[in-house]
Amino acid sequence: MKILVINTGSSSLKFRLFDMRGLVRLASGLVERIGEARGRALLRYRTAAENRERTVERSGPITDHGRAMEEMLSLLGEAGLLAHAGELAGIGHRVVHGGEVFHRPVRIDTRVLEAIAELAPLAPLHNPVNLVGIRAAMAQAPDVPQVAVFDTAFHQTLPEHAYLYGLPYRLYEEHRVRRYGFHGTSHGFVSRQAAGFLDRPYGSLNIITLHLGNGASGAAIRGGRCVDTSMGMTPLEGLLMGTRSGDLDPAILLYLAREAGMDSDELDDLLNRQSGLRGLCGDNDMRTVIGRAEQGDGRAALALRIFCHRLKKYIGAYSAVLGRVDCLVFTGGIGENAALVREMACRDLENLGFILDRQRNLHRTEGIRPIHDDASPVRILVVPTNEELEIARQVVEVITPSEVQTS
Ligand code: ADP
């Protein structure tokens, strides 16, 4: 049973092909610089015969997402992984914003396409582009079931008191202003993985998940239901990120508009692309920031401290929201790899029940690993995220009738 997972950006298309019997990733790849003179398509896969990793690359003009999709299918065909699109059991599409409409993944039909388009004002940079990808895939594989998986869906269980802002209620009614949260596929996946690792029913656990990549967000999950999350109406709120500010006093924007004459586009660029680690120390990549800090660079060390202070505040806040915490999960490129960040985020939290084991924290192994001290009331885990596999799993759930799933 082959499932293709597609993540469409404005000039790129990332994809992974899975065989769901055995949950094997058959290939991953990317088509980039779509619409530019020098496009590039890349495929990585493991050859069955030699069990060797192979990379195939092509370059040339790729005029639009339809051509990108053809390129992807042709690469998969040449590698002997997919004879034709009709061989796929399903295609999963990552869609950024599902608003209040989509609480779970759905099979795509005309009504779903209209609803995703209707949500475009909430995610103007993402939803329209996601739609372009879906339409291109539907044209290439008209008979294959297509499923939309939403970044926001996992957070649709948030109670009203967690998703409403302290703004006039009519802004929620008239303009849908509320917290939606993002990275939902990852928060859902790693929290379920953690429950499996701990061999406890998902519904019995209170879990804090920290997804720390270029974007970063936290979630408080009670008995398998998300009850709070740090990203808001857009992915800008909450933790400090590579280039995004995270939380700040909204009056700063008014001040900058008044005093520095900045307009909304300039403020957008400032908050989303020039802030965070980059704004504080000039680098947005955590590896570089840590490297510089270790060489004695004061500004990089400060950026790192601010990043970890913000993490600590959210761990504390979500401990209070949940009342009892069973497990803290670190994931994403930073969460999975930066031992120093985990150590700084958990430092001095012993009284709240978070006791890290320094050696375990430094020790790197594949897969899920516990990094807490044996005496720690809260289990602290590093759980590698795999959003694409989770999307593929959700596609199977949607396209398989429930009587087959349970048999
Ligand atoms: P994205 O959000 O784009 O999926 P990732 O989850 O891959 O990003 O995370 C990227 C971040 O992870 C970058 O800041 C990168 O520096 C950081 N990172 C990756 N490996 C390490 C490492 N070994 N130590 C510290 N940070 C790392």
Side-chain angles (χ1 to χ4, degrees):
M1 182 192 235
K2 288 178 183 170
I3 302 281
L4 184 66
V5 174
I6 291 177
N7 186 353
T8 316
S10 55
S11 65
S12 71
L13 183 154
K14 292 187 191 144
F15 61 91
R16 288 216 181 153
L17 180 67
F18 292 95
D19 185 347
M20 297 311 282
R21 289 166 311 189
L23 303 178
V24 187
R25 186 177 84 202
L26 298 174
S28 63
L30 138 107
V31 185
E32 60 184 353
R33 298 189 218 119
I34 299 170
E36 292 177 30
R38 278 187 47 80
R40 189 172 85 113
L42 190 89
L43 178 77
R44 281 208 182 86
Y45 66 103
R46 196 166 273 283
T47 55
E50 311 148 46
N51 195 24
R52 267 193 30 225
E53 189 78 35
R54 282 204 56 184
T55 304
V56 187
E57 197 178 327
R58 279 189 205 156
S59 55
I62 297 167
T63 44
D64 55 26
H65 286 80
R67 283 285 309 135
M69 212 67 73
E70 283 173 20
E71 197 67 32
M72 170 189 73
L73 291 171
S74 135
L75 281 172
L76 289 169
E78 263 179 41
L81 297 167
L82 194 71
H84 53 89
E87 208 189 306
L88 291 165
I91 300 180
H93 296 269
R94 177 178 181 206
V95 180
V96 167
H97 219 304
E100 290 188 328
V101 182
F102 297 107
H103 297 216
R104 55 183 66 85
V106 287
R107 181 138 175 192
I108 299 171
D109 57 18
T110 319
R111 197 186 47 81
V112 170
L113 288 174
E114 280 168 9
I116 295 173
E118 208 260 317
L119 290 164
L122 290 174
L125 296 180
H126 294 108
N127 273 33
V129 166
N130 295 153
L131 272 178
V132 168
I134 294 172
R135 292 213 164 93
M138 289 173 92
Q140 293 289 330
D143 300 323
V144 176
Q146 315 255 347
V147 174
V149 178
F150 300 89
D151 270 16
T152 48
F154 181 68
H155 305 300
Q156 276 299 299
T157 50
L158 253 61
E160 262 181 324
H161 58 257
Y163 73 65
L164 282 179
Y165 292 110
L167 290 167
Y169 193 80
R170 65 177 170 77
L171 292 182
Y172 167 57
E173 294 176 305
E174 290 168 19
H175 296 285
R176 302 182 278 192
V177 175
R178 55 157 285 180
R179 177 185 309 286
Y180 293 97
F182 298 86
H183 291 146
T185 307
S186 178
H187 288 292
F189 176 74
V190 297
S191 55
R192 269 191 296 276
Q193 290 280 103
F197 180 82
L198 297 173
D199 199 18
R200 298 265 304 274
Y202 189 40
S204 72
L205 293 173
N206 288 353
I207 304 177
I208 298 174
T209 47
L210 297 174
H211 175 107
L212 313 176
N214 285 312
S217 67
I221 303 161
R222 177 182 292 128
R225 291 170 68 80
C226 187
V227 292
D228 208 350
T229 190
S230 62
M231 282 180 167
M233 170 146 164
T234 77
L236 185 54
E237 196 181 345
L239 301 172
L240 195 81
M241 309 183 209
T243 64
R244 296 188 202 128
S245 64
D247 293 335
L248 82 177
D249 179 349
I252 293 170
L253 308 187
L254 310 178
Y255 175 82
L256 289 175
R258 241 181 2 246
E259 294 297 315
M262 295 179 79
D263 65 20
S264 61
D265 286 345
E266 288 170 317
L267 289 170
D268 185 344
D269 186 55
L270 176 81
L271 298 178
N272 280 301
R273 285 169 286 281
Q274 310 300 336
S275 296
L277 295 172
R278 175 185 284 165
L280 287 161
C281 75
D283 274 306
N284 63 293
D285 189 293
M286 185 53 95
R287 251 172 310 204
T288 315
V289 174
I290 292 177
R292 279 176 52 193
E294 285 174 345
Q295 299 294 314
D297 181 314
R299 196 62 85 73
L302 175 64
L304 178 63
R305 284 204 305 279
I306 295 172
F307 186 91
C308 296
H309 178 69
R310 190 79 62 90
L311 282 177
K312 183 179 285 203
K313 283 212 297 197
Y314 271 91
I315 295 172
Y318 289 167
S319 298
V321 166
L322 292 171
R324 182 201 84 228
V325 184
D326 299 299
C327 181
L328 169 67
V329 175
F330 285 95
T331 194
I334 299 171
E336 292 167 36
N337 297 299
L340 180 60
V341 168
R342 297 192 297 260
E343 205 261 320
M344 288 172 70
C346 293
R347 196 177 288 166
D348 301 325
L349 292 185
E350 290 82 1
N351 285 332
L352 288 181
F354 301 85
I355 312 175
L356 207 67
D357 180 298
R358 294 190 66 142
Q359 285 312 315
R360 285 179 190 157
N361 184 42
L362 290 173
H363 192 65
R364 295 175 67 98
T365 48
E366 290 282 303
I368 304 178
R369 56 190 198 276
I371 55 170
H372 53 272
D373 186 277
D374 292 340
S376 179
V378 179
R379 317 260 169 226
I380 309 174
L381 304 179
V382 175
V383 180
T385 194
N386 193 338
E387 287 164 282
E388 292 82 7
L389 178 63
E390 175 64 7
I391 291 174
R393 198 190 61 75
Q394 297 194 8
V395 171
V396 174
E397 250 178 55
V398 170
I399 62 176
T400 315
S402 50
E403 57 276 21
V404 178
Q405 274 176 45
T406 50
S407 65

